[in-house]
């Protein structure tokens, strides 16, 4: 348990650094930004309790917010993902399996893992862009932002999963 | 009562969710409204230090480019200094020679000519004048009248010459805006005979609507400061890097009759020199 917590904290710090120092600096075409820290939420074990999920997501979102000068926006979006994640995951878990597992290409198969990540990511970006564009509500801009960022993030999620899977 | 409590305990994650979302929204709203939310931004100490560390590291990668920029800047400054020194020396020399320079009229000499043929309605208009080689009029001499610049002599026969006026797509006269030091070319777009355009006008050039456009005096065709027109409109060039200024021409091309042709003694020397650089 302590070892798991330690690994989780290490991942937390590493992912925040990578997110804040590299990925948050990239704005492809002016609106697409990859928020790869969502992997942290995606990869929490299946039997993580809802409260735990919520708190981890919120903290991670808040950390990114602090560095990106967007107080509350990432925190809110990540909290929403943390809230729905278990429901989404349940839909992609084969019935009859009671074991705890870490969602991934190995445990879920590639197709299901990608769809699962895609749903979570698109929920995340929908909330994120809705909050970000609180005042400027241009539906087209919202849509392009959500779609492009989701695709970009999914690209990185898949690539990272591919390499951790191959190992 | 027990049921309600059970219900609340079973669904406690809803409350946590509501609480966390509440905090998020408070942060969003307070960041937009107050200054005291600085703690939750990169202005706090941890985030600030991290970013300044990164910037320190990043600045090393930029040193090469920075160095090049500085070198280039240095070179420009040295050139500038050199030029200024030369100008100063020239000024000191010319103070005594001024009378002499005025006497020879800076190498320019003038001839009067009459318009014998003129067109306005084509993209490439030409003016024919009644002076030619026998009168000392040759190609690439400037033509102007009492109002302003008309054009440049294109070809000369023994007794006649063809002038490319400003109203010709080939016309390209180097101009300057009076009171500023920006140079640019005057080109006609083929539409309205009253207007021409200054293209590639640098964005940093200082001028206003109604400023007078004059010849630059660089080309050895025209003496400096002959009036050309007045700026009446300003727009962005297609590439967005320059301005394109609409110039109301002083010369009424439908009513040109008497013209002056200006020649330059030093022209051949200057053009030979310039061509020798071009060939190298």
């Amino acid at each position: 348990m302590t070892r798991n917590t330690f690994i989780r904290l290490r991942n937390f710090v590493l992912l925040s650094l990578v997110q804040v120092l590299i990925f948050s600096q990239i704005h492809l075409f002016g609106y697409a930004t990859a928020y790869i820290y969502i992997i942290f939420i995606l990869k929490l074990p299946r039997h993580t309790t809802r409260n735990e999920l919520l708190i981890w997501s919120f903290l991670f979102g808040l950390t990114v917010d602090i560095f990106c000068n967007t107080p509350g926006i990432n925190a809110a979006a990540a909290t929403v993902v943390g809230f729905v994640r278990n429901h989404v995951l349940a839909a992609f878990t084969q019935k009859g399996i009671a074991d705890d597992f870490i969602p991934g290409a190995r445990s879920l198969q590639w197709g299901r893992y990608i769809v699962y990540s895609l749903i979570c990511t698109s929920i995340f970006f929908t909330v994120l862009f809705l909050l970000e564009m609180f005042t400027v509500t241009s539906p087209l801009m919202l849509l392009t932002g959500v779609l492009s960022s989701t695709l970009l993030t999914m690209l990185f999620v898949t690539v990272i999963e591919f390499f951790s899977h191959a190992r | 009562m027990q049921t309600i409590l059970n219900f609340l305990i079973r669904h406690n994650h809803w409350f946590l969710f509501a609480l966390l979302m509440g905090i998020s929204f408070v942060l969003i709203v307070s960041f937009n409204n107050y200054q005291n939310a600085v703690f939750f931004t990169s202005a706090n100490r941890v985030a600030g230090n991290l970013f300044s560390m990164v910037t320190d590291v990043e600045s090393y990668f930029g040193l090469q480019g920075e160095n090049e920029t500085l070198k280039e800047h240095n070179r420009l400054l040295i050139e500038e200094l050199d030029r200024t020194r030369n100008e100063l020396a020239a000024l000191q020399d010319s103070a005594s020679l001024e009378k002499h320079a005025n006497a020879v009229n800076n190498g320019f000499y003038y001839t009067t000519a009459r318009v014998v043929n003129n067109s306005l309605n084509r993209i490439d208009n030409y003016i024919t004048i009644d002076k030619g080689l026998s009168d000392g009029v040759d190609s690439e001499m400037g033509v102007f009248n009492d109002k302003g610049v008309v054009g440049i002599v294109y070809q000369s026969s023994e007794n006649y010459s063809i002038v490319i006026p400003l109203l010709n797509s080939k016309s390209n006269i180097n101009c300057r805006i009076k009171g500023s030091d920006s140079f640019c070319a005057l080109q006609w777009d083929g539409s309205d005979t009253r207007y021409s355009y200054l293209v590639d006008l640098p964005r940093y050039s200082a001028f206003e609507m109604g400023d007078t456009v004059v010849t630059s005096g660089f080309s050895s065709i025209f003496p400096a400061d002959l009036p050309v027109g007045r700026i009446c409109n300003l727009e962005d060039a297609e590439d967005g890097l320059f301005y394109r200024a609409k110039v109301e021409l002083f010369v009424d091309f439908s009513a040109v009759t008497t013209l002056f042709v200006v020649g330059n003694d030093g022209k051949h020397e200057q053009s030979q020199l310039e061509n020798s650089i071009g060939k190298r």
Side-chain angles (χ1 to χ4, degrees):
Chain A
M1 183 60 208
T2 39
R3 189 167 167 275
N4 280 345
T5 316
F6 174 75
I7 289 174
R8 196 178 287 180
L9 274 173
R10 187 203 65 184
N11 287 345
F12 189 104
V13 173
L14 275 179
L15 260 179
S16 341
L17 284 176
V18 171
Q19 175 64 50
V20 168
L21 295 180
I22 301 169
F23 285 96
S24 288
Q25 315 293 331
I26 301 168
H27 301 285
L28 214 59
F29 313 123
Y31 33 74
T33 307
Y35 283 96
I36 55 144
Y37 77 90
I38 197 172
I39 291 175
F40 182 85
I41 304 169
L42 296 175
K43 289 287 214 179
L44 285 173
R46 178 199 179 189
H47 283 321
T48 316
T49 64
R50 283 171 172 149
N51 288 347
E52 235 186 304
L53 252 171
L54 281 172
I55 288 170
W56 276 109
S57 310
F58 176 78
L59 286 178
F60 214 135
L62 190 66
T63 311
V64 174
D65 274 338
I66 288 172
F67 284 96
C68 296
N69 284 334
T70 52
I73 292 176
N74 273 293
T79 309
V80 171
V81 175
F83 188 70
V84 298
R85 192 213 81 155
N86 272 0
H87 298 287
V88 179
L89 185 60
F92 289 99
T93 313
Q94 278 152 315
K95 286 197 174 70
I97 296 179
D99 303 338
D100 197 7
F101 62 83
I102 292 173
R106 198 185 295 269
S107 49
L108 283 178
Q109 305 300 321
W110 269 109
R112 277 192 244 133
Y113 177 68
I114 286 177
V115 179
Y116 154 74
S117 319
L118 186 65
I119 291 174
C120 290
T121 315
S122 47
I123 291 170
F124 173 79
F125 279 112
T126 310
V127 178
L128 189 85
F129 277 93
L130 274 174
L131 289 176
E132 210 166 350
M133 298 184 175
F134 228 103
T135 47
V136 206
T137 32
S138 151
L140 194 71
M141 236 167 94
L142 186 84
L143 204 66
T144 41
V146 170
L147 285 179
S148 56
S149 295
T150 305
L151 283 176
L152 192 66
T153 306
M154 278 311 293
L155 180 75
F156 286 114
V157 167
T158 315
V159 167
I160 291 168
E161 181 62 23
F162 181 77
F163 281 109
S164 56
H165 185 64
R167 200 169 44 186
Chain B
M1 190 63 200
Q2 188 64 41
T3 347
I4 295 170
L5 265 180
N6 276 343
F7 176 84
L8 289 181
I9 289 164
R10 208 150 55 83
H11 291 277
N12 61 10
H13 64 279
W14 279 97
F15 297 109
L16 184 64
F17 177 66
L19 177 73
L20 294 178
M21 288 304 274
I23 297 173
S24 302
F25 278 102
V26 169
L27 283 174
I28 294 172
V29 173
S30 65
F31 179 64
N32 290 331
N33 291 339
Y34 305 109
Q35 302 297 319
N36 56 9
V38 153
F39 179 77
F40 286 106
T41 69
S42 64
N44 80 48
R45 189 181 295 174
V46 179
N49 278 337
L50 182 72
F51 278 127
S52 68
M53 258 158 60
V54 173
T55 315
D56 284 350
V57 173
E58 275 176 353
S59 66
Y60 280 101
F61 296 109
L63 278 182
Q64 182 78 30
E66 195 78 357
N67 212 349
E68 289 303 315
T69 321
L70 280 174
K71 269 189 206 160
E72 179 63 19
H73 197 75
N74 233 341
R75 192 183 65 76
L76 287 175
L77 284 176
I78 289 169
E79 273 183 15
E80 180 83 40
L81 181 67
D82 223 28
R83 200 159 45 234
T84 317
R85 273 192 188 138
N86 285 341
E87 271 172 21
L88 188 64
L91 278 175
Q92 281 164 351
D93 284 350
S94 67
S96 57
L97 289 173
E98 206 165 37
K99 273 183 187 165
H100 179 64
N102 279 344
V104 299
N105 219 352
N106 297 323
F108 285 106
Y109 57 92
Y110 301 88
T111 317
T112 55
R114 215 159 45 84
V115 174
V116 292
N117 193 13
N118 189 7
S119 73
L120 288 173
N121 52 6
R122 282 175 284 177
I123 291 181
D124 290 335
N125 294 299
Y126 293 97
I127 295 175
T128 315
I129 56 172
D130 67 348
K131 289 285 163 69
L133 293 169
S134 60
D135 308 289
V137 173
D138 203 350
S139 58
E140 298 205 340
M141 284 171 81
V143 180
F144 64 99
N145 72 0
D146 54 323
K147 301 267 174 50
V149 170
V150 171
I152 294 171
V153 178
Y154 180 47
Q155 277 174 11
S156 292
S157 65
E158 200 56 37
N159 292 310
Y160 290 97
S161 296
I162 291 171
V163 176
I164 293 185
L166 299 180
L167 306 185
N168 187 307
S169 65
K170 290 198 204 79
S171 169
N172 192 346
I173 289 177
N174 203 351
C175 292
R176 186 171 68 86
I177 294 165
K178 205 169 188 173
S180 106
D181 285 322
S182 354
F183 306 99
C184 45
L186 187 77
Q187 283 173 5
W188 191 51
D189 67 349
S191 57
D192 197 329
T193 58
R194 288 171 299 168
Y195 302 101
S196 188
Y197 292 89
L198 286 178
V199 294
D200 295 354
L201 194 59
R203 279 189 174 272
Y204 51 78
S205 40
F207 57 89
E208 284 168 17
M209 293 292 151
D211 276 2
T212 307
V213 178
V214 295
T215 53
S216 68
F218 277 178
S219 60
S220 81
I221 293 173
F222 288 106
D225 293 336
L226 270 178
V228 174
R230 189 182 288 117
I231 295 178
C232 64
N233 200 357
L234 195 64
E235 57 191 75
D236 288 334
E238 275 111 352
D239 57 7
L241 296 174
F242 296 96
Y243 286 129
R244 187 169 180 265
K246 196 177 187 181
V247 176
E248 191 187 351
L249 299 170
F250 288 138
V251 175
D252 179 4
F253 281 88
S254 62
V256 281
T257 48
T258 310
L259 300 174
F260 302 97
V261 183
V262 54
N264 185 348
D265 282 333
K267 187 175 76 183
H268 289 295
E269 203 179 329
Q270 185 179 345
S271 57
Q272 256 172 19
L273 189 66
E274 285 169 352
N275 286 340
S276 73
I277 293 169
K279 274 174 201 154
R280 209 178 289 162

